[in-house]
Amino acid sequence: MKWFFKIMLPVLVLVSCSKEGTSLVEADPVSTKEKVELLGHESIELGRKLENPYSVTNVRQALSAVYPTRAVIDVPVTDYYVRFLPKNVEEFDRISRLGVELMDHPIDREILRDGDYYHDPEIPEGEITWQYAVVPPDFEFPDGICYEILDECFIPDENVETRSPGDYDWEAVERMSFELTGNGGLLEPMTRARSKPSGTISIIDDNLRSRKTVGVSCVKVVANVFVRIATTYTDEKGHYQFSAKFSAKPHYRICFKNKTGFSIGLNLILVPASISALGKGPSTGKDCLIDKNSDKTLFRRCAVNNAAYDYYKQCKATGVTMPPKNLRFWILNILRPSSTLMMHHGALLDSKLVSKYLGKYSSLIRIFAPDITIGSRDKNGNYAELYSTTVHEMAHASHFSKVGTDYWRKYATYIITSFINTGDAYGTGNGENAGYCQVGEMWGYFMENSLYKERYGRDPGYGQNYWFAPRIFSELESGGLTRADICSCLNYYVNDLKSLKAALLENYAAKSSLINKVFKKYSR
């Protein structure tokens, strides 16, 4: 993937507006028999292959050990442990759309150092690595996609049925299978009942006036012990509850794919959402409190997730146009500027300036490239800065929903040209397509300042020194026009101050006195 970022980074620098590896930490050992695990954001380091206690063969042996006087029963196959090798993103997506929970590392291997991703050393760099999963026995494998069945499994739950009569203590059988396969050290004590993990993932926002601890809202949480895999989402307050029960301590991970539909993804691998490993925790669940002194990558991801989620909630409450579905974020700690490229939705790549630079990689970039990049340099641990930057870019995404790719190409062309000619992405307000930038940035800064004020109690006044006067929108709102009213006028044909004023007067004639007064005040 190195070639990919060598190509992409100069493009990101060019089109960014001026809005502007991790140390390993020790986790608690799971038991005195286990090695201390290390967490980081690099590749997972795997150790020896472990014996799968859920394989049908091992469960059958455990059943005989727990019930030696009973007749042997036929342990059914409830699941297959499999791996897929998709050749491209289309094949990866085909598998994902079938509801398969894919993991990029084998789940029957010892983890010496936990991390955010794994790439099989036998798979060339830049190609999708093996994807591991558990599927039901009647699963229809997609035609043309390479796969391998690794094990036939019996994963007991409350509804499991066998082909022979009689009651069996499947929890006792499960524990025996762990013991017989050499995995007894992973089990919870007998005094602790088999549990459905629950907990809270939260983050501290130091700038809030009262309650500073907030939940990490609606992110996906994954837990697994070998092939027993469970997923759920946090609620708005960061609480989660799994439906599956665990007798051993699971590996916990946050997958930054939000329930509302956007994802935060940049792991140097070809997956749509970043993973943050939380290490092992009790079968009852694991709480996670993140603050400015926590792991910086995890802090950034959680803060951006919350800001984007809050923006969607604000749109729903106020009637502002929603950003497109399946929005894709990248967080780049090597950059301070942020940008709303909308590449994943087809924008910008049609620009001659960009496509000429990307050359033959243009079509490939479109598949993997982001819609929004958040430059987090100098913002680490600062929730308020990450919040304001994210909602600014989300406001641009709402604007994109209304105007489309051709408008966005002209907008981006102005920014690129200004940056090349003046060293400033916004330029001086002169030149072709300046009006696109004017309208877009007025809206972006207006929404940023408004949402920041509602959250933190003060107007930060971002963007007030630029030539495009975002105060116009704030004064219109103070005079009675709503954000939804203003957003409704940001159509394809509104591409400068004159056409913006005309659209407002046409749609809200009753407010003509206010509109004329405000525009006169800020005319250049």
Side-chain angles (χ1 to χ4, degrees):
M1 289 293 287
K2 292 179 181 177
W3 62 268
F4 181 67
F5 294 99
K6 286 179 180 178
I7 290 169
M8 279 301 299
L9 286 177
V11 175
L12 298 180
V13 171
L14 276 177
V15 299
S16 295
C17 68
S18 61
K19 269 309 295 179
E20 331 200 89
T22 304
S23 300
L24 299 175
V25 295
E26 284 193 344
D28 293 332
V30 224
S31 75
T32 55
K33 296 182 181 181
E34 291 186 310
K35 297 179 181 179
V36 173
E37 292 185 335
L38 296 174
L39 300 181
H41 296 286
E42 301 301 319
S43 174
I44 297 168
E45 183 179 340
L46 298 178
R48 62 190 174 90
K49 187 179 185 302
L50 302 174
E51 189 69 30
N52 178 12
Y54 293 104
S55 76
V56 167
T57 300
N58 290 328
V59 172
R60 188 179 293 123
Q61 292 175 352
L63 188 64
S64 297
V66 174
Y67 299 102
T69 60
R70 291 200 185 186
V72 177
I73 68 166
D74 184 14
V75 176
V77 176
T78 62
D79 299 89
Y80 288 132
Y81 172 39
V82 302
R83 65 176 184 172
F84 300 90
L85 189 61
K87 296 191 294 291
N88 49 46
V89 174
E90 286 80 6
E91 290 192 356
F92 184 96
D93 288 343
R94 279 176 61 198
I95 302 167
S96 297
R97 285 196 296 269
L98 294 173
V100 179
E101 185 65 34
L102 297 172
M103 305 182 77
D104 63 9
H105 64 282
I107 49 184
D108 57 352
R109 295 272 298 276
E110 182 181 29
I111 294 179
L112 302 179
R113 183 188 66 195
D114 213 340
D116 288 359
Y117 69 96
Y118 178 77
H119 194 90
D120 192 309
E122 295 184 2
I123 303 298
E125 182 183 1
E127 294 183 13
I128 299 176
T129 193
W130 282 103
Q131 302 292 314
Y132 296 81
V134 175
V135 300
D138 59 352
F139 180 78
E140 294 186 12
F141 290 91
D143 292 337
I145 298 179
C146 176
Y147 72 91
E148 180 181 357
I149 295 177
L150 301 173
D151 217 344
E152 295 181 338
C153 303
F154 176 83
I155 306 176
D157 59 29
E158 289 75 12
N159 301 315
V160 72
E161 295 179 359
T162 63
R163 297 178 193 169
S164 59
D167 295 325
Y168 292 90
D169 185 346
W170 289 110
E171 183 177 355
V173 173
E174 182 180 27
R175 295 182 70 89
M176 177 60 72
S177 189
F178 270 76
E179 295 288 353
L180 293 178
T181 55
N183 296 302
L186 303 177
L187 290 167
E188 294 275 38
M190 283 291 294
T191 53
R192 186 173 295 171
R194 199 161 174 243
S195 304
K196 294 180 179 180
S198 64
T200 303
I201 301 172
S202 51
I203 185 170
I204 293 177
D205 182 354
D206 286 330
N207 293 277
L208 288 175
R209 289 166 289 177
S210 54
R211 186 177 61 86
K212 297 182 183 295
T213 301
V214 296
V216 179
S217 301
C218 298
V219 291
K220 191 176 187 178
V221 186
V222 183
N224 83 285
V225 176
F226 287 97
V227 294
R228 183 184 285 278
I229 302 172
T231 64
T232 189
Y233 284 89
T234 61
D235 63 16
E236 187 172 309
K237 296 181 178 180
H239 303 317
Y240 69 86
Q241 169 79 65
F242 286 98
S243 58
K245 290 184 176 181
F246 290 86
S247 298
K249 293 186 175 182
H251 287 277
Y252 290 95
R253 291 176 168 80
I254 302 175
C255 175
F256 284 91
K257 184 170 180 61
N258 196 276
K259 197 172 185 178
T260 59
F262 67 86
S263 60
I264 300 171
L266 178 56
N267 272 352
L268 305 185
I269 48 174
L270 309 183
V271 294
S274 291
I275 305 293
S276 281
L278 301 179
K280 280 185 181 174
S283 61
T284 52
K286 182 169 186 172
D287 293 331
C288 184
L289 177 61
I290 302 146
D291 62 22
K292 63 184 179 181
N293 298 314
S294 299
D295 174 87
K296 291 181 174 58
T297 300
L298 181 59
F299 184 96
R300 290 192 296 266
R301 291 171 177 173
C302 291
V304 170
N305 169 82
N306 276 12
Y309 175 80
D310 186 63
Y311 184 86
Y312 275 103
K313 190 170 70 170
Q314 293 286 348
C315 286
K316 188 174 182 180
T318 61
V320 168
T321 300
M322 291 277 190
K325 294 181 179 179
N326 301 316
L327 211 60
R328 181 174 294 179
F329 286 81
W330 283 3
I331 305 174
L332 298 169
N333 198 40
I334 60 175
L335 294 178
R336 181 168 179 80
S338 300
S339 60
T340 307
L341 309 172
M342 304 309 297
M343 279 186 172
H344 187 57
H345 282 77
L348 188 59
L349 293 176
D350 294 331
S351 166
K352 292 181 180 178
L353 288 171
V354 175
S355 60
K356 181 179 179 181
Y357 176 75
L358 294 176
K360 65 180 180 180
Y361 297 110
S362 291
S363 59
L364 188 60
I365 295 296
R366 179 168 180 166
I367 296 172
F368 300 123
D371 293 308
I372 292 175
T373 67
I374 302 297
S376 61
R377 187 175 179 180
D378 302 327
K379 302 184 184 80
N380 287 314
N382 192 325
Y383 192 113
E385 281 209 41
L386 290 167
Y387 178 88
S388 65
T389 297
T390 302
V391 297
H392 178 106
E393 304 304 334
M394 291 287 280
H396 287 321
S398 287
H399 190 190
F400 174 83
S401 288
K402 294 186 64 64
V403 298
T405 58
D406 182 59
Y407 189 105
W408 224 245
R409 176 181 57 79
K410 294 173 182 176
Y411 187 172
T413 299
Y414 172 82
I415 289 177
I416 295 170
T417 304
S418 294
F419 185 86
I420 292 171
N421 293 337
T422 69
D424 186 326
Y426 297 150
T428 61
N430 299 310
E432 187 179 7
N433 298 320
Y436 291 88
C437 177
Q438 183 175 37
V439 174
E441 295 306 328
M442 283 173 63
W443 172 250
Y445 279 107
F446 163 66
M447 287 295 287
E448 176 184 11
N449 289 326
S450 298
L451 295 180
Y452 190 102
K453 182 179 180 180
E454 290 176 4
R455 185 174 183 86
Y456 298 113
R458 66 179 183 87
D459 185 344
Y462 292 133
Q464 303 312 315
N465 295 325
Y466 291 115
W467 54 269
F468 38 73
R471 283 291 185 196
I472 287 178
F473 285 157
S474 59
E475 293 200 17
L476 290 174
E477 184 181 35
S478 297
L481 286 177
T482 68
R483 292 172 203 169
D485 293 338
I486 296 169
C487 185
S488 69
C489 294
L490 302 182
N491 59 53
Y492 178 81
Y493 299 101
V494 173
N495 52 32
D496 58 18
L497 215 55
K498 182 179 178 180
S499 55
L500 173 61
K501 180 182 176 182
L504 287 163
L505 288 170
E506 180 181 356
N507 289 310
Y508 304 103
K511 293 287 185 179
S512 60
S513 178
L514 169 71
I515 294 167
N516 285 320
K517 179 182 176 181
V518 171
F519 274 80
K520 183 178 180 180
K521 179 179 178 180
Y522 289 98
S523 61
R524 298 176 67 188

